[in-house]
Amino acid sequence: MAYELYYWPTIQGRGEYVRLALEDAGADYVDVARRSKAGVSAMMKMMQAKTGTPSFAPPFLVSGKITVGQTAAILLYLGGRHDLAPKTEAGRLWVHQLQLTIADFVQEVHDTHHPIGVSLYYDDQKNAAKKRSAEFRKERVPKFLGYFERLLEGGGATYLIGRKATYADLSLFQIVEGLRYAFPKYMKKYERQIPNLIALHDRVADRPNIAAYLASDRRIPFNEDGIFRRYKALDK
Ligand SMILES: N[C@@H](CCC(=O)N[C@@H](CS)C(=O)NCC(=O)O)C(=O)O
């Protein structure tokens, strides 16, 4: 039975980390809300359910009788089923930990353009966004990406935990792609400090299923409704 992915139909957003794992695994899935307007309505309705395991927000995944939300939890589930995670409990926990750290970073990326309120427009928080982004570029990107760079150095640098890719590697690919989109000026200068992470990005981009996905119309282009947004004022 095909997996059903529920996520906003016009953005990469957090759904993209799940899409990348499904695509890399060659899994059969339906991106439900992208198929029709009825798909979006179904997604909204499922989040209002009083029973079962309804999600607070998308993405969530339906797999037979299981409905699981929270990006990192979805990936924990898919990683075990599609050989995108280690076999041991300690290994799975480690990759889950890495994914949760990536999720923390994704939230901070989001907060660069929405530092005051999620439900307010960017235009209503432009000044704060500028300040927040300056701190993000100076302190937070080097701290987070420096952490992953160190892990790659320590592990021999093929993938995060050795010679086999996990879903966390796919997510780091997306982080580099997203930062390049949102902060092109900054990344041009900063990238030389994270050579192993850039090599990892390139390695993931070359994986046959990922390359095919990126070239397909299933990959939604970056845009200013997603997590990674290109606003000139926030880049330097
Ligand atoms: N921690 C959750 C966050 C989910 C989330 O914030 N989803 C966004 C879209 S990327 C959303 O639709 N949020 C609605 C809201 O927060 O009201 C995850 O990683 O999946």
Side-chain angles (χ1 to χ4, degrees):
M1 210 174 355
Y3 293 111
E4 288 179 359
L5 169 65
Y6 288 82
Y7 192 65
W8 302 114
T10 57
I11 59 169
Q12 294 182 11
R14 291 180 174 88
E16 199 61 17
Y17 304 94
V18 181
R19 293 189 183 111
L20 285 167
L22 290 166
E23 292 282 347
D24 189 78
D28 192 10
Y29 76 101
V30 183
D31 207 332
V32 181
R34 288 189 74 190
R35 219 171 29 173
S36 66
K37 278 205 174 115
V40 180
S41 309
M43 177 171 93
M44 304 312 274
K45 209 166 150 201
M46 286 165 82
M47 289 192 288
Q48 298 305 318
K50 289 185 178 159
T51 56
T53 55
S55 287
F56 171 75
F60 55 91
L61 184 84
V62 175
S63 165
K65 289 189 175 141
I66 290 177
T67 301
V68 56
Q70 287 285 356
T71 310
I74 300 169
L75 291 171
L76 178 68
Y77 174 72
L78 288 176
R81 287 169 67 98
H82 293 281
D83 203 23
L84 280 170
K87 299 243 177 302
T88 63
E89 187 180 35
R92 286 202 181 170
L93 206 50
W94 174 224
V95 177
H96 184 49
Q97 176 184 332
L98 292 169
Q99 192 65 40
L100 287 169
T101 305
I102 292 170
D104 289 344
F105 183 65
V106 169
Q107 187 59 44
E108 294 201 20
V109 173
H110 168 273
D111 292 348
T112 59
H113 48 80
H114 277 74
I116 295 180
V118 178
S119 53
L120 302 174
Y121 289 110
Y122 166 65
D123 281 344
D124 297 331
Q125 42 193 321
K126 264 181 163 170
N127 287 338
K130 224 171 149 177
K131 280 190 187 158
R132 181 67 182 254
S133 297
E135 192 264 356
F136 174 78
R137 292 190 313 265
K138 184 164 184 282
E139 305 288 344
R140 303 304 285 170
V141 176
K143 186 160 185 186
F144 274 100
L145 298 199
Y147 168 72
F148 290 111
E149 179 71 13
R150 276 199 306 282
L151 293 178
L152 284 166
E153 279 167 9
T158 310
Y159 288 111
L160 274 168
I161 57 156
R163 292 218 305 273
K164 277 192 79 179
T166 68
Y167 57 81
D169 294 296
L170 307 180
S171 294
L172 281 181
F173 157 81
Q174 176 68 5
I175 294 293
V176 171
E177 282 286 293
L179 289 173
R180 280 179 175 172
Y181 175 77
F183 303 99
K185 274 190 189 163
Y186 169 77
M187 281 301 276
K188 208 163 177 228
K189 290 172 279 172
Y190 176 68
E191 275 192 18
R192 64 186 71 122
Q193 294 185 41
I194 48 163
N196 288 297
L197 203 45
I198 297 303
L200 170 76
H201 163 277
D202 297 349
R203 211 168 283 130
V204 169
D206 282 345
R207 289 171 70 81
N209 287 356
I210 295 293
Y213 169 60
L214 296 176
S216 77
D217 59 8
R218 297 190 302 287
R219 171 80 164 179
I220 301 167
F222 284 106
N223 60 50
E224 279 51 60
D225 294 319
I227 307 265
F228 293 100
R229 302 187 186 189
R230 181 175 289 177
Y231 292 131
K232 261 193 170 155
L234 307 189
D235 188 21
K236 230 183 184 171

